[in-house]
Amino acid sequence: MIKIAVLCSGGDCQGMNACIQTIVNMASVHGIMVMGVRRGYQGLMENDFVELTRESVANIGHLGGCFLKVARSEEFKKPEGVKLGHDNLVKNRIDYLIVIGGNGSYRGAIELSELGTKVIAIPGTIDNDLFYTDRTLGFDTAVNNAVSTIDNIRQTMEANDRGFIAEVMGRECGHIALNVAAAVGAHSCAVKEVPVEISDVVSDVKQCLSKGIKSPVVVISEACEFTANDVKEAIEKECGIECRSSVVGYVQRGGAPSVMDRLLAIQSGVMAIELIYKGIYNVALGIRNNNVFYMKLDEVYELDNEFNKVLYRQLRNLHNLK
Ligand code: F6P
């Protein structure tokens, strides 16, 4: 009997539970035994395995968070940590390991594969910072959550003729910020991929105010060198309007996965087990043009950040900004 393990590492994201559930259900179709590793690579080093069955995962697919829990492990960044993890997989007679996670988790997965672990990697992070795939699990839900939070705040801002500056997550990557900004029709958007100063944001806001906008909205990414509060103070000083700022925060990472994230989770989970059943490993799954695909795990970092400059430009055109 084939025996596999699944772990989620790094930050949790919406769709991890749906993916675990699919893996377990699909594995049972093929008579494959599934062990869950609690708390990602940290649990792997601590030999924290639990058997997963159709029953144990029956009611998790619609939930955010992570049923197996996640951890950010400093110890696993050391070669001794990776070796310990690999040894525990051997000790538990695990034939294949499925890793669901983001950038850091993929580095861990590649290091395990170099020691002989047979790995399948599934992209799971709200940040969408694995550039070989159009989307990662959690990204779509995180964008939707941020949009609905900004929509709510905007109503009270408009009632008071105030400007609003929202800071969104994404680590070093501006994909969440850009998509949120476009979806709310923000009057200025600051991301690391397009170098901007606070004075550029102030200038955008000034131009919009001159066209009669009373309650401008600015979206910035957490990777910017300035904070939402810095922008608020600069706009109040330079433009003479009252503003409020908010860090949208962890609301982005919680709540039920969107349909897009559930579909990605289900398609990836099914493909992962099909690949294992065919004996294919050391691959990363992704989605391109709405089709799930796989590629060699050690080639995922060969693709650069394709920041959507067209969408960025369209958003500026919408407000007639240079
Ligand atoms: O990687 C996901 C993410 O939510 C980032 O967007 C954010 O910078 C980070 O995790 C927050 O990490 P933590 O949960 O450790 O505070």
Tab-separated table of all heavy atoms in Angstrom, residues 18-19 39 43 50 64-65 68 116 183 190 197 203 212 228 252 276-278 283 305-307 319:
chain	number	residue	atom	x	y	z
A	18	ALA	N	-9.615	22.645	2.144
A	18	ALA	CA	-10.287	21.997	1.000
A	18	ALA	C	-9.303	21.093	0.267
A	18	ALA	O	-9.671	20.023	-0.239
A	18	ALA	CB	-10.843	23.060	0.052
A	19	CYS	N	-8.054	21.505	0.224
A	19	CYS	CA	-7.047	20.714	-0.478
A	19	CYS	C	-6.720	19.432	0.307
A	19	CYS	O	-6.631	18.348	-0.272
A	19	CYS	CB	-5.798	21.581	-0.697
A	19	CYS	SG	-4.702	20.924	-1.946
A	39	ARG	N	1.552	21.116	12.185
A	39	ARG	CA	2.465	22.269	12.313
A	39	ARG	C	3.631	22.227	11.324
A	39	ARG	O	4.779	22.495	11.681
A	39	ARG	CB	2.983	22.401	13.755
A	39	ARG	CG	1.880	22.705	14.768
A	39	ARG	CD	2.380	22.642	16.183
A	39	ARG	NE	2.846	21.316	16.525
A	39	ARG	CZ	4.107	21.002	16.777
A	39	ARG	NH1	5.036	21.902	16.752
A	39	ARG	NH2	4.424	19.755	17.073
A	43	GLY	N	6.505	20.305	12.852
A	43	GLY	CA	5.928	19.015	13.250
A	43	GLY	C	6.645	17.851	12.589
A	43	GLY	O	6.759	16.764	13.165
A	50	VAL	N	-0.375	12.267	12.155
A	50	VAL	CA	-1.699	11.763	12.530
A	50	VAL	C	-2.342	11.164	11.270
A	50	VAL	O	-2.229	11.733	10.181
A	50	VAL	CB	-2.574	12.902	13.120
A	50	VAL	CG1	-2.704	14.062	12.151
A	50	VAL	CG2	-3.953	12.412	13.505
A	64	GLY	N	-11.803	28.338	6.511
A	64	GLY	CA	-10.482	28.956	6.410
A	64	GLY	C	-9.587	28.368	7.489
A	64	GLY	O	-9.944	27.407	8.178
A	65	GLY	N	-8.402	28.937	7.653
A	65	GLY	CA	-7.458	28.395	8.633
A	65	GLY	C	-6.827	27.116	8.129
A	65	GLY	O	-6.859	26.819	6.928
A	68	LEU	N	-4.591	21.138	9.975
A	68	LEU	CA	-3.354	20.498	10.453
A	68	LEU	C	-2.456	21.476	11.214
A	68	LEU	O	-1.414	21.082	11.722
A	68	LEU	CB	-2.563	19.912	9.270
A	68	LEU	CG	-3.125	18.651	8.641
A	68	LEU	CD1	-2.359	18.296	7.369
A	68	LEU	CD2	-3.047	17.477	9.629
A	116	GLY	N	16.221	12.914	-1.100
A	116	GLY	CA	15.573	11.678	-1.565
A	116	GLY	C	14.088	11.604	-1.279
A	116	GLY	O	13.427	10.639	-1.687
A	183	ALA	N	-10.024	46.612	-8.019
A	183	ALA	CA	-11.412	46.224	-7.736
A	183	ALA	C	-12.196	47.326	-7.030
A	183	ALA	O	-13.409	47.416	-7.188
A	183	ALA	CB	-11.432	44.933	-6.916
A	190	ALA	N	0.103	52.095	-4.401
A	190	ALA	CA	1.562	52.049	-4.258
A	190	ALA	C	2.021	50.622	-3.976
A	190	ALA	O	1.545	49.988	-3.032
A	190	ALA	CB	2.005	52.973	-3.135
A	197	GLU	N	7.060	57.384	-4.635
A	197	GLU	CA	7.311	58.094	-3.376
A	197	GLU	C	5.958	58.530	-2.817
A	197	GLU	O	4.969	58.567	-3.559
A	197	GLU	CB	8.124	59.370	-3.646
A	197	GLU	CG	9.393	59.167	-4.448
A	197	GLU	CD	10.525	58.638	-3.592
A	197	GLU	OE1	10.464	58.829	-2.361
A	197	GLU	OE2	11.438	58.020	-4.159
A	203	SER	N	0.335	63.562	-5.170
A	203	SER	CA	0.027	64.204	-6.451
A	203	SER	C	-1.204	63.545	-7.115
A	203	SER	O	-2.085	64.248	-7.641
A	203	SER	CB	1.275	64.113	-7.340
A	203	SER	OG	0.937	64.187	-8.668
A	212	GLY	N	-13.134	66.990	-8.422
A	212	GLY	CA	-14.379	66.906	-7.647
A	212	GLY	C	-14.511	65.679	-6.759
A	212	GLY	O	-15.539	65.511	-6.097
A	228	ALA	N	0.672	53.341	5.795
A	228	ALA	CA	-0.604	54.001	5.479
A	228	ALA	C	-0.731	55.290	6.284
A	228	ALA	O	-1.242	56.303	5.792
A	228	ALA	CB	-1.756	53.048	5.795
A	252	GLN	N	-7.797	39.457	5.996
A	252	GLN	CA	-7.517	38.963	4.638
A	252	GLN	C	-7.264	37.457	4.618
A	252	GLN	O	-7.470	36.787	3.630
A	252	GLN	CB	-6.271	39.660	4.063
A	252	GLN	CG	-6.499	41.091	3.701
A	252	GLN	CD	-5.201	41.880	3.608
A	252	GLN	OE1	-4.694	42.100	2.530
A	252	GLN	NE2	-4.659	42.285	4.737
A	276	ILE	N	0.855	10.879	-7.992
A	276	ILE	CA	1.456	9.883	-7.093
A	276	ILE	C	1.108	8.482	-7.584
A	276	ILE	O	1.954	7.585	-7.633
A	276	ILE	CB	0.969	10.115	-5.641
A	276	ILE	CG1	1.680	11.359	-5.076
A	276	ILE	CG2	1.204	8.892	-4.759
A	276	ILE	CD1	1.151	11.843	-3.741
A	277	TYR	N	-0.121	8.302	-7.969
A	277	TYR	CA	-0.563	6.984	-8.434
A	277	TYR	C	0.219	6.551	-9.675
A	277	TYR	O	0.486	5.368	-9.878
A	277	TYR	CB	-2.071	7.035	-8.729
A	277	TYR	CG	-2.695	5.667	-8.740
A	277	TYR	CD1	-2.718	4.879	-7.585
A	277	TYR	CD2	-3.256	5.146	-9.907
A	277	TYR	CE1	-3.272	3.611	-7.595
A	277	TYR	CE2	-3.833	3.887	-9.923
A	277	TYR	CZ	-3.830	3.120	-8.761
A	277	TYR	OH	-4.378	1.866	-8.762
A	278	LYS	N	0.632	7.560	-10.476
A	278	LYS	CA	1.425	7.241	-11.677
A	278	LYS	C	2.914	7.202	-11.370
A	278	LYS	O	3.733	7.005	-12.275
A	278	LYS	CB	1.189	8.310	-12.748
A	278	LYS	CG	-0.182	8.268	-13.384
A	278	LYS	CD	-0.245	9.359	-14.460
A	278	LYS	CE	-1.664	9.611	-14.899
A	278	LYS	NZ	-1.862	10.960	-15.416
A	283	VAL	N	7.585	17.500	-8.328
A	283	VAL	CA	6.924	18.460	-9.214
A	283	VAL	C	6.123	19.463	-8.370
A	283	VAL	O	5.781	19.192	-7.218
A	283	VAL	CB	5.964	17.765	-10.215
A	283	VAL	CG1	6.738	16.919	-11.212
A	283	VAL	CG2	4.909	16.933	-9.502
A	305	ASN	N	8.680	37.565	-11.221
A	305	ASN	CA	7.422	38.215	-10.896
A	305	ASN	C	6.862	38.930	-12.135
A	305	ASN	O	7.463	39.870	-12.626
A	305	ASN	CB	7.678	39.245	-9.777
A	305	ASN	CG	6.401	39.918	-9.305
A	305	ASN	OD1	5.327	39.678	-9.829
A	305	ASN	ND2	6.528	40.760	-8.299
A	306	GLU	N	5.743	38.435	-12.618
A	306	GLU	CA	5.108	39.116	-13.754
A	306	GLU	C	4.053	40.049	-13.214
A	306	GLU	O	2.871	39.734	-13.193
A	306	GLU	CB	4.449	38.075	-14.663
A	306	GLU	CG	5.350	37.619	-15.766
A	306	GLU	CD	4.630	36.696	-16.723
A	306	GLU	OE1	3.488	37.001	-17.119
A	306	GLU	OE2	5.215	35.651	-17.052
A	307	PHE	N	4.496	41.202	-12.730
A	307	PHE	CA	3.547	42.164	-12.181
A	307	PHE	C	2.654	42.666	-13.314
A	307	PHE	O	3.151	42.967	-14.408
A	307	PHE	CB	4.320	43.321	-11.532
A	307	PHE	CG	3.438	44.293	-10.848
A	307	PHE	CD1	2.820	43.967	-9.653
A	307	PHE	CD2	3.201	45.533	-11.398
A	307	PHE	CE1	1.975	44.863	-9.022
A	307	PHE	CE2	2.363	46.435	-10.775
A	307	PHE	CZ	1.753	46.096	-9.583
A	319	HIS	N	-8.510	57.142	-13.875
A	319	HIS	CA	-8.577	58.448	-13.176
A	319	HIS	C	-7.798	59.528	-13.949
A	319	HIS	O	-7.486	60.572	-13.388
A	319	HIS	CB	-8.033	58.303	-11.759
A	319	HIS	CG	-8.794	57.294	-10.933
A	319	HIS	ND1	-10.133	57.417	-10.677
A	319	HIS	CD2	-8.405	56.136	-10.356
A	319	HIS	CE1	-10.545	56.378	-9.953
A	319	HIS	NE2	-9.510	55.594	-9.748
